[in-house]
Amino acid sequence: MHATIQKPMNEIIDNLKAGEKVFVVGCGNCAAKCHSGGEPETKEMAERLRRRGVTVTGCACTDNGVSLCKLAIVKKMLNETYKAETEQADSFLILACGQGIHTVMDATEGGAVHAGCDTIFGGETVNDDYITEYCSLCGECIVEKTGGLCPVTLCAKGLLNGPCGGAINGKCEVDRNRDCGWQLIYDRLRELGRLDEMAEYITPKNNSKWSRPRSLSMSGSKATFKSLAGEHTVSNVD
Amino acid sequence: MSKLKEKLEKGQFVITGEIGPPKGVNLEKCLNDAETLRDYVTAINVTDQQSAVLRIGSMAVAARLVQRGLEPVYQLTCRDRNRLALQSDLLSAWALDIQNVLCITGDHPTLGDHKEAKPVYDLDSVQLLHVAKGLNQGYDMADHELDSSPDFFLGAVVTPGLDPVEPQVIKMKKKIDAGCRFFQTQAVYSPEKFEDFANKTRSFGVPVIAGVVILKSAAMAKYMNENVAGISVPDSLISEMADTPKEDRKKKAVEVTARIIRQVKPLCQGVHIMPLGWDELVPQIIKEAELS
């Protein structure tokens, strides 16, 4: 999931021109889980803007569990269900991640957009109140060698071959309340009786798989990942 | 040829020192610090933007040492350079007659004075050693042949005082496999702990130069215990410093440092003295430690 947090209200207001009419859009999936742009927050944002004198033509959020980054759904929602309200608006304020923002632009054929949230990371929803990051979307997963824990993400320096010398009592040099990623990997491999794997050299990352923007196309049972490293196609059946 | 390499390969005990490049362009003080060490050390480490605080570059200062006939250990961190810059800087350093390189991870930018800097770490220290070894063999890390190659004497760091020390030992072995030919350690204050580490790593067969930071006061000891990874100054040593009147602190610092050196000497192949400004004490420490 894409974690998002609402921008401060002053920043949102500052980005609107005097008299600009706004339609507020939320996301029923990730932003809803982050309490940054689900249905209640979308309605609340419309009210908060109105209280500050902004003309809000309406608001809409995808259904519970449905992501705003699904173009067909957003087209229908904005161009059919909420046609009257969106036609009156000068711009869209999106309470979702950057993918959602672009989906609204696509759905409205280049409509003006404002980011209502900062997109902060891709994470695991540990419970209703806590999301944390375990993957950096690097395009080249190496957790096979690290007991399932990603050093690119869990180590502040993204080191691939073991800890630096900066941890004290298993806590990272950048924040003494944060676990050292390599201490976690060491503990995990030891627990699994696979400590010998920590001695294996891990080669430098292919950063061209991490160069943005990237794309994925699906055709039948085949998927093709395209990045600066080239095209890479796999089949998910034998 | 690197004197450091020559001595270590002959099995001789070495002394190395350290200078920190300044924040600015006036090198007078740091070159004077290096001169103080001239007659006592085999090589002098030049730190690379230590503590992630912006400084003049370690390559420039190392080159100035070479000009004066002093042998530098050029510290190169992975923090600020991608793989292109690391390789290019290595080649540049060789062109400036810098032969010893200490390949290190580098403190995270958030610990320094440019907290919003992008941390690079395109390579880690093990990978950097691998790449530097490749340059020595005439190839860059994309396997392209160089038209001529350097012949660096490659070193790395290890922190023997960390608990548990096993992850450090595992990484140390990886560094050796990647081309590391000597180690310099974080400051050692507990010879017992260092002995345990030495026993665990003796079979690696690569020389270890034990780090020694001159202890200036009890307050400094307490600060390091809380804030510097892998340093644990024993309580007995803290009391010893605390019981020393201020005017006798330098004398005590010499005594304590010399004692630690005598204790670790049989367990390693050299000492790396980090004077932190008390450079003038180094000759006396070396004398009292019976190294001269």
Side-chain angles (χ1 to χ4, degrees):
Chain A
M1 76 105 69
H2 277 32
T4 49
I5 187 163
Q6 273 189 14
K7 283 181 176 288
M9 202 59 193
N10 287 345
E11 189 182 332
I12 291 174
I13 296 286
D14 283 351
N15 287 337
L16 302 175
K17 290 190 187 73
E20 186 171 339
K21 286 177 270 180
V22 180
F23 186 90
V24 184
V25 187
C27 167
N29 194 9
C30 299
K33 287 177 188 150
C34 297
H35 308 174
S36 58
E39 197 181 358
E41 295 81 19
T42 306
K43 285 181 174 161
E44 178 66 22
M45 177 57 74
E47 286 312 307
R48 291 168 77 192
L49 289 169
R50 284 183 181 124
R51 282 200 296 271
R52 285 166 173 80
V54 176
T55 304
V56 178
T57 66
C59 65
C61 182
T62 48
D63 289 344
N64 193 22
V66 175
S67 299
L68 184 67
C69 55
K70 287 186 171 171
L71 182 56
I73 287 169
V74 180
K75 269 185 175 168
K76 190 164 186 284
M77 179 173 86
L78 298 181
N79 302 336
E80 294 175 25
T81 318
Y82 289 90
K83 188 171 189 282
E85 292 92 333
T86 58
E87 272 179 357
Q88 290 167 37
D90 299 315
S91 63
F92 297 90
L93 174 70
I94 295 115
L95 298 177
C97 70
Q99 323 294 359
I101 294 172
H102 198 273
T103 310
V104 170
M105 284 176 67
D106 273 348
T108 57
E109 291 177 356
V113 290
H114 296 287
C117 291
D118 288 315
T119 310
I120 45 185
F121 57 86
E124 173 187 329
T125 310
V126 180
N127 59 47
D128 286 349
D129 302 316
Y130 188 65
I131 299 161
T132 186
E133 190 174 18
Y134 290 110
C135 169
S136 299
L137 315 175
C138 74
E140 193 181 52
C141 191
I142 57 159
V143 302
E144 190 62 39
K145 297 171 179 177
T146 52
L149 298 169
C150 172
V152 176
T153 309
L154 296 175
C155 166
K157 301 176 184 177
L159 305 179
L160 301 185
N161 283 288
C164 69
I168 296 180
N169 297 326
K171 300 294 177 183
C172 179
E173 73 177 27
V174 303
D175 177 355
R176 296 299 179 198
N177 295 312
R178 183 202 278 195
D179 288 325
C180 162
W182 273 100
Q183 181 72 43
L184 296 175
I185 293 169
Y186 168 76
D187 290 343
R188 168 89 174 147
L189 288 173
R190 199 173 58 160
E191 204 178 283
L192 295 170
R194 286 165 38 187
L195 213 46
D196 52 320
E197 290 175 25
M198 198 168 147
E200 283 174 33
Y201 176 61
I202 299 182
T203 55
K205 287 211 82 69
N206 179 353
N207 288 304
S208 62
K209 288 190 178 173
W210 207 346
S211 295
R212 282 150 286 230
R214 300 171 283 183
S215 69
L216 183 70
S217 344
M218 287 74 70
S219 166
S221 61
K222 283 186 179 154
T224 300
F225 168 42
K226 198 172 171 188
S227 69
L228 285 183
E231 285 193 11
H232 171 60
T233 301
V234 292
S235 173
N236 57 17
V237 292
D238 285 331
Chain B
M1 174 170 167
S2 155
K3 277 182 284 176
L4 183 66
K5 179 182 180 192
E6 198 179 324
K7 283 191 173 181
L8 288 174
E9 286 182 352
K10 278 186 187 159
Q12 291 174 11
F13 193 87
V14 301
I15 304 170
T16 54
E18 182 166 306
I19 55 169
K23 197 180 186 73
V25 293
N26 184 349
L27 298 182
E28 201 180 325
K29 174 160 187 322
C30 91
L31 292 176
N32 281 344
D33 288 345
E35 285 299 337
T36 316
L37 301 171
R38 180 185 283 274
D39 296 334
Y40 305 95
V41 301
T42 301
I44 300 170
N45 284 46
V46 184
T47 53
D48 178 11
Q49 305 202 72
Q50 59 273 30
S51 310
V53 170
L54 175 81
R55 316 265 179 166
I56 195 168
S58 52
M59 194 196 306
V61 176
R64 292 292 295 275
L65 294 189
V66 171
Q67 278 178 358
R68 289 169 170 243
L70 291 164
E71 183 167 314
V73 175
Y74 167 49
Q75 295 197 180
L76 181 65
T77 72
C78 298
R79 176 189 56 231
D80 311 312
R81 305 162 179 89
N82 70 4
R83 58 192 77 182
L84 275 166
L86 286 167
Q87 293 179 96
S88 181
D89 279 1
L90 280 167
L91 297 179
S92 302
W94 184 259
L96 294 166
D97 293 326
I98 295 164
Q99 301 185 336
N100 308 310
V101 183
L102 196 73
C103 299
I104 49 190
T105 307
D107 293 327
H108 196 279
T110 55
L111 304 186
D113 67 350
H114 285 62
K115 296 182 192 302
E116 296 189 2
K118 183 172 187 175
V120 182
Y121 304 110
D122 185 21
L123 303 182
D124 63 28
S125 54
V126 178
Q127 294 161 346
L128 175 58
L129 284 159
H130 232 286
V131 169
K133 183 175 76 175
L135 295 177
N136 277 352
Q137 293 168 343
Y139 291 90
D140 70 16
M141 72 177 284
D143 269 339
H144 300 125
E145 203 170 345
L146 304 174
D147 64 17
S148 51
S149 52
D151 185 20
F152 288 115
F153 185 49
L154 301 172
V157 295
V158 62
T159 307
L162 283 179
D163 192 22
V165 77
E166 278 74 18
Q168 287 288 307
V169 173
I170 293 169
K171 192 167 185 182
M172 190 179 173
K173 180 71 172 55
K174 284 174 131 172
K175 287 178 176 179
I176 295 167
D177 293 342
C180 178
R181 292 294 165 263
F182 71 96
F183 286 93
Q184 289 177 312
T185 80
Q186 177 58 283
V188 174
Y189 288 103
S190 163
E192 297 76 29
K193 246 185 176 175
F194 187 72
E195 186 170 8
D196 175 51
F197 164 79
N199 289 337
K200 285 191 166 92
T201 58
R202 188 162 295 119
S203 65
F204 293 170
V206 171
V208 171
I209 301 170
V212 184
V213 169
I214 298 177
L215 195 57
K216 296 179 178 175
S217 64
M220 174 183 166
K222 285 179 193 159
Y223 176 83
M224 288 196 301
N225 278 354
E226 280 169 26
N227 298 294
V228 184
I231 291 194
S232 51
V233 184
D235 290 342
S236 58
L237 202 50
I238 297 178
S239 325
E240 202 179 331
M241 295 305 294
D243 294 342
T244 306
K246 207 171 180 186
E247 62 273 20
D248 293 335
R249 286 229 184 110
K250 286 195 172 174
K251 208 175 129 205
K252 176 57 83 179
V254 170
E255 182 195 322
V256 164
T257 311
R259 188 170 71 216
I260 293 168
I261 293 174
R262 284 197 304 272
Q263 286 169 325
V264 299
K265 194 182 170 190
L267 304 167
C268 58
Q269 214 190 311
V271 285
H272 176 61
I273 303 174
M274 293 170 267
L276 302 187
W278 282 9
D279 297 71
E280 81 272 15
L281 303 185
V282 173
Q284 190 60 25
I285 288 169
I286 289 170
K287 193 165 164 237
E288 288 197 20
E290 295 150 25
L291 294 177
S292 55

